[in-house]
Short mmCIF file of all heavy atoms in Angstrom, two decimals:
data_model
loop_
_atom_site.label_atom_id
_atom_site.label_comp_id
_atom_site.label_asym_id
_atom_site.label_seq_id
_atom_site.Cartn_x
_atom_site.Cartn_y
_atom_site.Cartn_z
N GLY E 1 110.29 -67.28 -68.25
CA GLY E 1 109.83 -68.65 -68.21
C GLY E 1 109.51 -69.27 -69.55
O GLY E 1 108.93 -70.35 -69.62
N ARG E 2 109.86 -68.61 -70.65
CA ARG E 2 109.55 -69.16 -71.97
C ARG E 2 110.53 -70.27 -72.31
O ARG E 2 111.72 -70.20 -72.02
CB ARG E 2 109.63 -68.06 -73.04
CG ARG E 2 108.49 -67.08 -72.99
CD ARG E 2 108.80 -65.85 -73.81
NE ARG E 2 109.02 -66.16 -75.20
CZ ARG E 2 108.06 -66.22 -76.12
NH1 ARG E 2 106.81 -66.03 -75.79
NH2 ARG E 2 108.34 -66.48 -77.39
N ALA E 3 110.00 -71.31 -72.93
CA ALA E 3 110.86 -72.40 -73.38
C ALA E 3 111.62 -71.99 -74.63
O ALA E 3 111.13 -71.20 -75.44
CB ALA E 3 110.02 -73.65 -73.67
N ASP E 4 112.84 -72.48 -74.76
CA ASP E 4 113.60 -72.29 -75.99
C ASP E 4 112.78 -72.85 -77.15
O ASP E 4 112.20 -73.94 -77.05
CB ASP E 4 114.92 -73.05 -75.86
CG ASP E 4 115.89 -72.77 -76.98
OD1 ASP E 4 115.44 -72.65 -78.15
OD2 ASP E 4 117.09 -72.67 -76.72
N PRO E 5 112.67 -72.11 -78.28
CA PRO E 5 111.91 -72.64 -79.43
C PRO E 5 112.37 -74.03 -79.86
O PRO E 5 111.58 -74.80 -80.41
CB PRO E 5 112.18 -71.60 -80.52
CG PRO E 5 112.45 -70.33 -79.78
CD PRO E 5 113.17 -70.75 -78.53
N ALA E 6 113.63 -74.36 -79.60
CA ALA E 6 114.13 -75.69 -79.97
C ALA E 6 113.38 -76.79 -79.21
O ALA E 6 113.26 -77.92 -79.71
CB ALA E 6 115.62 -75.78 -79.68
N VAL E 7 112.87 -76.47 -78.02
CA VAL E 7 112.16 -77.48 -77.23
C VAL E 7 110.86 -77.88 -77.93
O VAL E 7 110.56 -79.07 -78.09
CB VAL E 7 111.86 -76.96 -75.81
CG1 VAL E 7 110.98 -77.94 -75.05
CG2 VAL E 7 113.16 -76.73 -75.05
N GLY E 8 110.08 -76.89 -78.35
CA GLY E 8 108.84 -77.18 -79.06
C GLY E 8 109.08 -77.97 -80.33
O GLY E 8 108.34 -78.91 -80.65
N ASN E 9 110.12 -77.59 -81.08
CA ASN E 9 110.44 -78.33 -82.31
C ASN E 9 110.88 -79.76 -82.01
O ASN E 9 110.53 -80.70 -82.73
CB ASN E 9 111.53 -77.60 -83.08
CG ASN E 9 111.05 -76.28 -83.66
OD1 ASN E 9 109.88 -76.12 -83.97
ND2 ASN E 9 111.96 -75.32 -83.80
N ALA E 10 111.66 -79.91 -80.93
CA ALA E 10 112.11 -81.26 -80.57
C ALA E 10 110.94 -82.15 -80.17
O ALA E 10 110.92 -83.35 -80.47
CB ALA E 10 113.13 -81.17 -79.42
N ILE E 11 109.94 -81.59 -79.50
CA ILE E 11 108.75 -82.37 -79.13
C ILE E 11 108.01 -82.82 -80.38
O ILE E 11 107.55 -83.97 -80.48
CB ILE E 11 107.84 -81.54 -78.20
CG1 ILE E 11 108.49 -81.37 -76.83
CG2 ILE E 11 106.48 -82.22 -78.04
CD1 ILE E 11 107.70 -80.52 -75.87
N LYS E 12 107.87 -81.94 -81.37
CA LYS E 12 107.21 -82.33 -82.62
C LYS E 12 107.94 -83.48 -83.30
O LYS E 12 107.33 -84.45 -83.76
CB LYS E 12 107.14 -81.13 -83.57
CG LYS E 12 106.21 -80.00 -83.14
CD LYS E 12 106.25 -78.88 -84.16
CE LYS E 12 105.46 -77.68 -83.71
NZ LYS E 12 105.52 -76.57 -84.71
N VAL E 13 109.27 -83.38 -83.35
CA VAL E 13 110.07 -84.44 -83.98
C VAL E 13 109.91 -85.74 -83.22
O VAL E 13 109.73 -86.82 -83.81
CB VAL E 13 111.55 -84.02 -84.06
CG1 VAL E 13 112.42 -85.19 -84.52
CG2 VAL E 13 111.73 -82.83 -85.00
N ALA E 14 109.96 -85.67 -81.88
CA ALA E 14 109.83 -86.87 -81.07
C ALA E 14 108.46 -87.52 -81.26
O ALA E 14 108.35 -88.75 -81.33
CB ALA E 14 110.05 -86.54 -79.59
N LYS E 15 107.41 -86.72 -81.36
CA LYS E 15 106.07 -87.28 -81.57
C LYS E 15 105.96 -87.92 -82.96
O LYS E 15 105.32 -88.96 -83.12
CB LYS E 15 105.01 -86.21 -81.37
CG LYS E 15 104.87 -85.81 -79.90
CD LYS E 15 103.71 -84.88 -79.64
CE LYS E 15 103.56 -84.65 -78.14
NZ LYS E 15 102.41 -83.79 -77.80
N PHE E 16 106.58 -87.31 -83.94
CA PHE E 16 106.61 -87.91 -85.28
C PHE E 16 107.32 -89.27 -85.23
O PHE E 16 106.85 -90.26 -85.81
CB PHE E 16 107.31 -86.97 -86.26
CG PHE E 16 107.48 -87.54 -87.64
CD1 PHE E 16 106.47 -87.45 -88.56
CD2 PHE E 16 108.67 -88.17 -88.01
CE1 PHE E 16 106.60 -87.98 -89.84
CE2 PHE E 16 108.82 -88.70 -89.28
CZ PHE E 16 107.78 -88.60 -90.19
N VAL E 17 108.45 -89.32 -84.53
CA VAL E 17 109.19 -90.58 -84.40
C VAL E 17 108.32 -91.62 -83.69
O VAL E 17 108.31 -92.81 -84.04
CB VAL E 17 110.51 -90.35 -83.64
CG1 VAL E 17 111.17 -91.67 -83.26
CG2 VAL E 17 111.46 -89.51 -84.48
N GLY E 18 107.57 -91.19 -82.67
CA GLY E 18 106.69 -92.11 -81.96
C GLY E 18 105.60 -92.68 -82.86
O GLY E 18 105.32 -93.89 -82.81
N TYR E 19 104.99 -91.83 -83.69
CA TYR E 19 103.97 -92.32 -84.64
C TYR E 19 104.59 -93.32 -85.62
O TYR E 19 104.01 -94.37 -85.92
CB TYR E 19 103.36 -91.16 -85.42
CG TYR E 19 102.47 -90.25 -84.61
CD1 TYR E 19 102.48 -88.87 -84.83
CD2 TYR E 19 101.62 -90.75 -83.64
CE1 TYR E 19 101.67 -88.03 -84.09
CE2 TYR E 19 100.80 -89.91 -82.90
CZ TYR E 19 100.83 -88.55 -83.13
OH TYR E 19 100.03 -87.72 -82.41
N ALA E 20 105.78 -92.97 -86.14
CA ALA E 20 106.45 -93.86 -87.09
C ALA E 20 106.78 -95.19 -86.43
O ALA E 20 106.59 -96.27 -87.02
CB ALA E 20 107.71 -93.19 -87.62
N GLY E 21 107.28 -95.15 -85.20
CA GLY E 21 107.60 -96.39 -84.49
C GLY E 21 106.36 -97.24 -84.26
O GLY E 21 106.41 -98.47 -84.38
N LEU E 22 105.23 -96.60 -83.96
CA LEU E 22 104.00 -97.36 -83.70
C LEU E 22 103.58 -98.16 -84.93
O LEU E 22 103.24 -99.34 -84.82
CB LEU E 22 102.89 -96.39 -83.28
CG LEU E 22 101.53 -97.03 -82.97
CD1 LEU E 22 101.64 -97.94 -81.75
CD2 LEU E 22 100.47 -95.95 -82.75
N LEU E 23 103.60 -97.53 -86.09
CA LEU E 23 103.17 -98.26 -87.28
C LEU E 23 104.17 -99.36 -87.65
O LEU E 23 103.80 -100.39 -88.21
CB LEU E 23 102.92 -97.31 -88.44
CG LEU E 23 104.10 -96.58 -89.10
CD1 LEU E 23 104.67 -97.38 -90.24
CD2 LEU E 23 103.63 -95.21 -89.62
N LEU E 24 105.45 -99.15 -87.30
CA LEU E 24 106.46 -100.18 -87.57
C LEU E 24 106.34 -101.37 -86.62
O LEU E 24 106.85 -102.45 -86.90
CB LEU E 24 107.86 -99.59 -87.49
CG LEU E 24 108.23 -98.57 -88.56
CD1 LEU E 24 109.66 -98.08 -88.36
CD2 LEU E 24 108.06 -99.15 -89.96
N VAL E 25 105.68 -101.20 -85.48
CA VAL E 25 105.39 -102.31 -84.58
C VAL E 25 104.11 -103.02 -85.02
O VAL E 25 104.07 -104.25 -85.15
CB VAL E 25 105.25 -101.84 -83.12
CG1 VAL E 25 104.80 -103.00 -82.23
CG2 VAL E 25 106.55 -101.28 -82.60
N VAL E 26 103.06 -102.24 -85.24
CA VAL E 26 101.74 -102.80 -85.51
C VAL E 26 101.73 -103.56 -86.84
O VAL E 26 101.18 -104.67 -86.93
CB VAL E 26 100.66 -101.70 -85.51
CG1 VAL E 26 99.32 -102.24 -85.99
CG2 VAL E 26 100.52 -101.13 -84.11
N GLY E 27 102.32 -102.99 -87.88
CA GLY E 27 102.32 -103.63 -89.19
C GLY E 27 102.93 -105.02 -89.19
O GLY E 27 102.27 -106.01 -89.55
N PRO E 28 104.19 -105.17 -88.76
CA PRO E 28 104.78 -106.51 -88.72
C PRO E 28 104.04 -107.47 -87.79
O PRO E 28 103.85 -108.64 -88.14
CB PRO E 28 106.20 -106.24 -88.21
CG PRO E 28 106.50 -104.84 -88.64
CD PRO E 28 105.19 -104.12 -88.51
N ALA E 29 103.61 -106.99 -86.61
CA ALA E 29 102.92 -107.88 -85.68
C ALA E 29 101.63 -108.41 -86.30
O ALA E 29 101.33 -109.62 -86.21
CB ALA E 29 102.62 -107.14 -84.37
N LEU E 30 100.87 -107.56 -86.93
CA LEU E 30 99.59 -107.96 -87.51
C LEU E 30 99.79 -108.91 -88.69
O LEU E 30 99.14 -109.97 -88.78
CB LEU E 30 98.83 -106.71 -87.97
CG LEU E 30 97.36 -106.88 -88.34
CD1 LEU E 30 96.55 -107.32 -87.14
CD2 LEU E 30 96.81 -105.59 -88.92
N VAL E 31 100.69 -108.57 -89.58
CA VAL E 31 100.90 -109.39 -90.77
C VAL E 31 101.55 -110.72 -90.42
O VAL E 31 101.15 -111.78 -90.94
CB VAL E 31 101.75 -108.62 -91.81
CG1 VAL E 31 102.14 -109.52 -92.97
CG2 VAL E 31 100.96 -107.41 -92.33
N LEU E 32 102.53 -110.71 -89.53
CA LEU E 32 103.17 -111.97 -89.14
C LEU E 32 102.20 -112.90 -88.42
O LEU E 32 102.28 -114.13 -88.54
CB LEU E 32 104.38 -111.69 -88.25
CG LEU E 32 105.62 -111.11 -88.94
CD1 LEU E 32 106.69 -110.77 -87.92
CD2 LEU E 32 106.17 -112.07 -89.99
N ALA E 33 101.27 -112.34 -87.66
CA ALA E 33 100.33 -113.17 -86.92
C ALA E 33 99.26 -113.77 -87.81
O ALA E 33 98.81 -114.90 -87.57
CB ALA E 33 99.67 -112.34 -85.81
N LEU E 34 98.84 -113.05 -88.88
CA LEU E 34 97.64 -113.46 -89.61
C LEU E 34 97.82 -113.66 -91.11
O LEU E 34 96.99 -114.32 -91.73
CB LEU E 34 96.52 -112.43 -89.36
CG LEU E 34 96.13 -112.20 -87.90
CD1 LEU E 34 95.15 -111.05 -87.79
CD2 LEU E 34 95.55 -113.47 -87.30
N LEU E 35 98.85 -113.09 -91.72
CA LEU E 35 98.93 -113.14 -93.18
C LEU E 35 100.25 -113.68 -93.72
O LEU E 35 100.38 -113.86 -94.93
CB LEU E 35 98.71 -111.72 -93.76
CG LEU E 35 97.31 -111.12 -93.67
CD1 LEU E 35 97.29 -109.73 -94.27
CD2 LEU E 35 96.29 -112.00 -94.38
N TRP E 36 101.22 -113.92 -92.90
CA TRP E 36 102.57 -114.21 -93.40
C TRP E 36 102.67 -115.64 -93.94
O TRP E 36 102.31 -116.61 -93.26
CB TRP E 36 103.58 -114.02 -92.28
CG TRP E 36 105.01 -114.02 -92.75
CD1 TRP E 36 105.93 -115.00 -92.59
CD2 TRP E 36 105.66 -112.98 -93.47
NE1 TRP E 36 107.13 -114.64 -93.15
CE2 TRP E 36 107.00 -113.40 -93.70
CE3 TRP E 36 105.27 -111.73 -93.95
CZ2 TRP E 36 107.92 -112.61 -94.38
CZ3 TRP E 36 106.19 -110.95 -94.62
CH2 TRP E 36 107.49 -111.39 -94.84
N PRO E 37 103.19 -115.81 -95.18
CA PRO E 37 103.39 -117.17 -95.73
C PRO E 37 104.45 -117.93 -94.94
O PRO E 37 105.50 -117.36 -94.59
CB PRO E 37 103.86 -116.90 -97.17
CG PRO E 37 103.42 -115.50 -97.47
CD PRO E 37 103.48 -114.77 -96.18
N ARG E 38 104.21 -119.20 -94.69
CA ARG E 38 105.12 -119.98 -93.85
C ARG E 38 106.50 -120.15 -94.46
O ARG E 38 107.50 -120.27 -93.76
CB ARG E 38 104.52 -121.35 -93.57
CG ARG E 38 103.31 -121.32 -92.65
CD ARG E 38 102.84 -122.72 -92.33
NE ARG E 38 101.71 -122.70 -91.41
CZ ARG E 38 101.12 -123.79 -90.94
NH1 ARG E 38 101.54 -124.99 -91.35
NH2 ARG E 38 100.10 -123.70 -90.12
N ARG E 39 106.57 -120.18 -95.78
CA ARG E 39 107.86 -120.47 -96.42
C ARG E 39 108.83 -119.29 -96.34
O ARG E 39 110.03 -119.46 -96.52
CB ARG E 39 107.64 -120.86 -97.89
CG ARG E 39 107.23 -119.73 -98.78
CD ARG E 39 107.14 -120.11 -100.24
NE ARG E 39 106.88 -118.94 -101.08
CZ ARG E 39 107.83 -118.14 -101.53
NH1 ARG E 39 109.10 -118.39 -101.24
NH2 ARG E 39 107.52 -117.09 -102.28
N LEU E 40 108.32 -118.08 -96.08
CA LEU E 40 109.18 -116.89 -96.07
C LEU E 40 109.82 -116.69 -94.70
O LEU E 40 109.20 -116.94 -93.66
CB LEU E 40 108.37 -115.66 -96.45
CG LEU E 40 107.77 -115.62 -97.85
CD1 LEU E 40 107.02 -114.31 -98.08
CD2 LEU E 40 108.86 -115.79 -98.91
N SER E 41 111.05 -116.19 -94.72
CA SER E 41 111.75 -115.88 -93.47
C SER E 41 111.07 -114.72 -92.74
O SER E 41 110.61 -113.76 -93.36
CB SER E 41 113.21 -115.51 -93.77
OG SER E 41 113.84 -114.98 -92.63
N ARG E 42 111.02 -114.83 -91.42
CA ARG E 42 110.39 -113.78 -90.60
C ARG E 42 111.42 -112.81 -90.05
O ARG E 42 111.06 -111.89 -89.30
CB ARG E 42 109.63 -114.44 -89.44
CG ARG E 42 108.62 -115.48 -89.88
CD ARG E 42 108.13 -116.31 -88.70
NE ARG E 42 107.18 -115.59 -87.87
CZ ARG E 42 105.86 -115.63 -88.03
NH1 ARG E 42 105.34 -116.35 -89.02
NH2 ARG E 42 105.06 -114.98 -87.23
N ARG E 43 112.69 -112.99 -90.40
CA ARG E 43 113.75 -112.19 -89.78
C ARG E 43 113.62 -110.70 -90.08
O ARG E 43 113.71 -109.86 -89.18
CB ARG E 43 115.11 -112.70 -90.26
CG ARG E 43 116.29 -111.95 -89.62
CD ARG E 43 117.61 -112.55 -90.05
NE ARG E 43 117.70 -113.97 -89.63
CZ ARG E 43 118.69 -114.76 -89.97
NH1 ARG E 43 119.67 -114.31 -90.75
NH2 ARG E 43 118.71 -116.01 -89.55
#
C-alpha cells in the first residue's frame, strides 16, 4: 500500500505552484485596486 515516491514529490511541486499562484493573484489585485496609476495600462 505504499505510494510511489513520485506521488509525494508531485504533491510538493503542486503545493509550491499553488503558493506561487496565490501571490500572483493577490499582488495584482491589491495593487490594481489601491495603488495603480491611472495613466498606466492594466493589461
Side-chain angles (χ1 to χ4, degrees):
R2 287 166 61 88
D4 189 320
V7 173
N9 291 331
I11 290 177
K12 292 179 185 179
V13 172
K15 289 187 174 182
F16 176 84
V17 169
Y19 290 142
L22 180 65
L23 69 90
L24 293 180
V25 174
V26 172
L30 192 64
V31 172
L32 287 175
L34 302 173
L35 290 179
W36 192 254
R38 290 185 178 181
R39 71 175 187 85
L40 296 181
S41 170
R42 305 167 76 92
R43 182 176 299 174

